[in-house]
Amino acid sequence: MKISLVPTAADISRDVLTNKSAVMFDILRASSTVSTALANGCKEVIPVVEVDDAFALAKTLPENTFLLGGERGAVKVPGFHLGNSPLEYNVGTVGNKTVILTTTNGTQATRRAAEGSGQVFIGSLLNVSAVAKKLMEMEQDIVLVCAGTRGKFSLEDTLAAGMVARELVRLWQLKGQISPALTENLPINGEFYLDETPMVSGNGLVLEDAAVAALRLAEYYENNPLRALYDSLHGQKLAQIGLAADLAYCAQVDLFDVVPVYRDGKIGID
Amino acid sequence: MKISLVPTAADISRDVLTNKSAVMFDILRASSTVSTALANGCKEVIPVVEVDDAFALAKTLPENTFLLGGERGAVKVPGFHLGNSPLEYNVGTVGNKTVILTTTNGTQATRRAAEGSGQVFIGSLLNVSAVAKKLMEMEQDIVLVCAGTRGKFSLEDTLAAGMVARELVRLWQLKGQISPALTENLPINGEFYLDETPMVSGNGLVLEDAAVAALRLAEYYENNPLRALYDSLHGQKLAQIGLAADLAYCAQVDLFDVVPVYRDGKIGID
C-alpha cells in the first residue's frame, strides 16, 4: 500500500488518483463543517461551486427540507441560512435536512479530486481514526489531498493528512505487516521494510516523502494540534476576524466516527 | 522579511525569486559536496548540466588545474576524477583546483533559481548557521528552494531549509524584533506578531505555511537529523547502494562556516 500526498488542490491530477482511495482535507473549515453536519444527522451535503448554483438548486427542493450554507472570504453569504462555521451545524439545525454548501476552496478541491477517483472521502482532525480505518478497508493505494489556502501549501490540512498517515502506519503494524520492534528503530518508509522484513501480504507500506513529512508534523503537534492551527496563516486570519472558537473546535481529534464521502455530486456517510 | 519555501525545482518561477535572496538545497548530495569542496580549498565549482558539457569545458582548462566530478544515477561518471560523494572532496584532492560538477538534480535547480534572482546561495545541513547569517545581512525577502527528488518533494532538502528558517527566527529574535517571551507562547508566524508586537524595523518576520512546516520538521528532527535522511526515499536508496557513510556525513549540522554562492555560472565562497 502506497501513501502519497498532494499539497494543494492545484496539484491534483487525474493520473495520480485513478484506482486509488482519495481523501480531501480542508479542515479550516469545509471538511470540519461537512463532518459535523453529517455526524449531527444532516441527510446529505450537496457542495456547489458558485453562490448562484446554490440558490438555483435550492429552488428545486421542497421548502423546509434544505439549508443554504457557506462562505465567501470566511463570511456567511447574504441570504444563506448558515455560514461555514461547524459550530452552526448542530443537531437541532441540520437534523434530517439537506445542506447546500458552497465554500471558496474545499468544494473545488473535492470536485477535482473526484474527477480522478470517482469518490472522495472527506477528512479532518474530527474524524482521523474513522478515515484511516476506512482507508485500510479499501485496500487500495491512498492519496491524501490537501486543499491548501489560495493555491498554496497549508499547514493545517497537512497536519490532518499526517495524522491520518500516522494512524494508517499504526493500523498496518497491528495487522502484523510491520514488526513494531522495527518501527521503533528504523525509518517508517515501506521500501526499506520491504528489504528488511518479511511481509504478510507480500507488499510493504510505502510512504512518499511528502507523506512522511506530514506524519512527522503530526507527531510534532500531537499534544497540541491547536498550535498548528495558530501557526498557519489561514488559522491566524480566522482568529483575527473573531473565529477563534472555530479553530478550537476544528482542532479536536476524533470527535466523530463518521466518514463523509463525496460521490455523484453529493456527500453522505459511507 | 518574508520567508517562502519552494518545494521542488519544478515549482521555481522567476516571479517568486526576483529581488529576493534565494538558497538552493540539494543536500543528498550536490549541496553538501559543493560546500565541502569550497571549505576544503577548492578554487571554484563550475556546475554544468550535461556530461558532455563537462568534458568540453575541461578541454579549455590547463591540465592539472581542474577535476571532473559528478554522478548519474548516484554513480560516478566514467572518465571523471570524482563522484558526488562529499567525502571524496578533501583538502588534498580539491585544494586550489577548479571542480567541474554535474549532478542530476542540483545543477538544474541552481540554474533555474539563478534565472530569477541572479545569484543563489547553496545550503545544506553542513552550513545552516552561515547561510542564515548571510541571509540576515542581505535584508531581503528569502526564498528557500528545495531541489526535490525526481520532481517530487524531498524530506531531506525540506529539513535543511527548515533548519535555516529556524536559525533565521532565532537571529531575528536576537535583533529584538520579536520578543522571546512572545515566541514561547505564540505562533511564530510574523503576520500575527505584526499585530501583537511593536517591530523595531516596522516590518514583521512572515513565514509562509510551507516555511513554518519545514521549521517544525527541523524541530522534530533536531536531535537526530540523520533520522530524517533515513526517513527519506532518496536517503534509503543511497544507503541501499552502499553510501550510508555519505548520509552520516551530510547529516552533520554546521560543520563549515562557508556560504557557497552561484553567480555568473560559477560557485565560489561569498
Side-chain angles (χ1 to χ4, degrees):
Chain A
M1 188 186 278
K2 185 172 177 180
I3 307 179
S4 311
L5 185 145
V6 174
T8 74
D11 296 310
I12 297 170
S13 73
R14 192 181 289 237
D15 287 354
V16 168
L17 292 164
T18 306
N19 295 324
K20 293 182 185 165
S21 301
V23 191
M24 196 283 294
F25 299 87
D26 184 21
I27 78 161
L28 290 178
R29 295 166 290 167
S31 295
S32 301
T33 297
V34 166
S35 298
T36 301
L38 289 167
N40 284 340
C42 149
K43 209 171 126 201
E44 62 188 5
V45 177
I46 307 179
V48 296
V49 173
E50 303 293 344
V51 169
D52 286 348
D53 299 340
F55 283 119
L57 179 58
K59 281 186 187 149
T60 69
L61 299 175
E63 232 173 304
N64 293 324
T65 64
F66 68 89
L67 296 165
L68 286 161
E71 51 79 27
R72 285 298 177 272
V75 176
K76 187 172 98 166
V77 177
F80 274 30
H81 305 93
L82 301 167
N84 193 27
S85 168
L87 293 165
E88 301 176 70
Y89 291 70
N90 55 50
V91 178
T93 306
V94 302
N96 215 28
K97 294 272 171 73
T98 292
V99 171
I100 303 169
L101 186 71
T102 178
T103 65
T104 314
N105 215 12
T107 305
Q108 291 170 42
T110 304
R111 288 194 167 198
R112 286 201 61 179
E115 282 172 22
S117 64
Q119 66 176 28
V120 183
F121 300 115
I122 310 291
S124 64
L125 293 177
L126 306 176
N127 65 347
V128 167
S129 294
V131 166
K133 187 159 163 272
K134 169 64 66 181
L135 292 170
M136 286 296 283
E137 289 166 9
M138 298 292 290
E139 295 189 335
Q140 287 183 310
D141 287 345
I142 293 162
V143 186
L144 306 172
V145 179
C146 300
T149 302
R150 294 183 206 165
K152 301 195 117 177
F153 174 97
S154 85
L155 186 63
E156 70 276 15
D157 294 337
T158 310
L159 170 73
M163 290 224 172
V164 169
R166 185 155 179 257
E167 178 64 9
L168 283 165
V169 171
R170 200 185 67 85
L171 294 173
W172 196 261
Q173 288 169 344
L174 286 179
K175 275 180 75 181
Q177 289 171 308
I178 298 174
S179 149
L182 263 181
T183 54
E184 282 164 25
N185 301 310
L186 281 179
I188 53 156
N189 190 293
E191 291 211 344
F192 200 79
Y193 289 119
L194 209 57
D195 289 343
E196 298 288 316
T197 322
M199 294 290 164
V200 174
S201 69
N203 291 310
L205 179 66
V206 178
L207 278 76
E208 278 191 354
D209 274 22
V212 176
L215 184 151
R216 295 308 189 201
L217 278 178
E219 291 183 336
Y220 180 90
Y221 287 111
E222 178 178 26
N223 296 317
N224 192 359
L226 181 58
R227 171 78 189 253
L229 275 48
Y230 275 100
D231 270 355
S232 77
L233 271 179
H234 189 50
Q236 288 172 33
K237 280 179 183 158
L238 291 175
Q240 282 169 358
I241 60 171
L243 296 169
D246 280 7
L247 264 64
Y249 179 85
C250 294
Q252 298 171 98
V253 177
D254 286 342
L255 192 62
F256 300 126
D257 193 32
V258 300
V259 181
V261 59
Y262 174 86
R263 200 185 286 136
D264 301 328
K266 295 176 179 182
I267 304 173
I269 295 177
D270 196 59
Chain B
M1 188 184 281
K2 185 171 175 179
I3 307 177
S4 310
L5 185 146
V6 174
T8 74
D11 296 311
I12 297 170
S13 73
R14 192 179 291 239
D15 288 354
V16 167
L17 292 165
T18 306
N19 295 325
K20 294 183 184 167
S21 300
V23 191
M24 196 283 295
F25 300 87
D26 184 21
I27 76 160
L28 290 178
R29 296 166 291 163
S31 294
S32 302
T33 297
V34 166
S35 299
T36 301
L38 290 167
N40 284 340
C42 150
K43 209 172 123 201
E44 62 186 4
V45 177
I46 307 180
V48 297
V49 174
E50 302 293 344
V51 169
D52 287 349
D53 299 339
F55 283 118
L57 179 58
K59 281 186 188 149
T60 70
L61 298 176
E63 233 173 302
N64 294 324
T65 65
F66 68 89
L67 295 165
L68 287 161
E71 50 80 26
R72 286 298 179 271
V75 176
K76 187 173 98 165
V77 177
F80 274 28
H81 305 94
L82 301 168
N84 193 28
S85 167
L87 293 165
E88 301 175 69
Y89 291 70
N90 54 52
V91 176
T93 305
V94 302
N96 213 27
K97 295 274 171 72
T98 292
V99 171
I100 303 170
L101 186 71
T102 177
T103 65
T104 314
N105 214 11
T107 305
Q108 292 170 42
T110 304
R111 289 194 166 197
R112 286 200 61 179
E115 283 172 22
S117 63
Q119 67 175 30
V120 183
F121 301 113
I122 310 292
S124 65
L125 293 178
L126 305 176
N127 65 349
V128 166
S129 294
V131 166
K133 188 161 161 272
K134 170 63 66 180
L135 293 170
M136 286 295 284
E137 288 166 12
M138 298 292 292
E139 295 190 334
Q140 286 183 311
D141 287 344
I142 293 161
V143 186
L144 307 171
V145 179
C146 300
T149 302
R150 294 183 202 163
K152 300 193 117 176
F153 173 97
S154 85
L155 186 62
E156 70 277 15
D157 295 336
T158 310
L159 169 73
M163 289 221 173
V164 169
R166 186 157 179 256
E167 179 63 10
L168 283 165
V169 170
R170 200 186 67 84
L171 294 174
W172 197 260
Q173 288 169 347
L174 285 178
K175 276 180 73 180
Q177 289 173 305
I178 297 173
S179 149
L182 262 181
T183 55
E184 281 165 26
N185 301 309
L186 281 179
I188 53 156
N189 191 295
E191 292 213 343
F192 199 78
Y193 291 119
L194 209 57
D195 289 342
E196 299 287 316
T197 321
M199 295 291 163
V200 173
S201 70
N203 291 311
L205 179 65
V206 179
L207 279 76
E208 278 191 354
D209 274 23
V212 176
L215 184 152
R216 295 309 190 200
L217 278 179
E219 292 183 335
Y220 179 89
Y221 287 110
E222 178 177 25
N223 296 317
N224 192 359
L226 182 57
R227 171 77 189 254
L229 274 48
Y230 275 100
D231 270 355
S232 77
L233 269 179
H234 189 49
Q236 289 172 31
K237 279 177 184 160
L238 291 174
Q240 283 168 358
I241 60 172
L243 296 169
D246 281 5
L247 264 64
Y249 178 84
C250 295
Q252 297 171 99
V253 178
D254 285 342
L255 191 62
F256 300 125
D257 193 32
V258 300
V259 181
V261 59
Y262 173 87
R263 200 184 288 135
D264 300 329
K266 296 177 179 181
I267 304 173
I269 294 179
D270 196 58

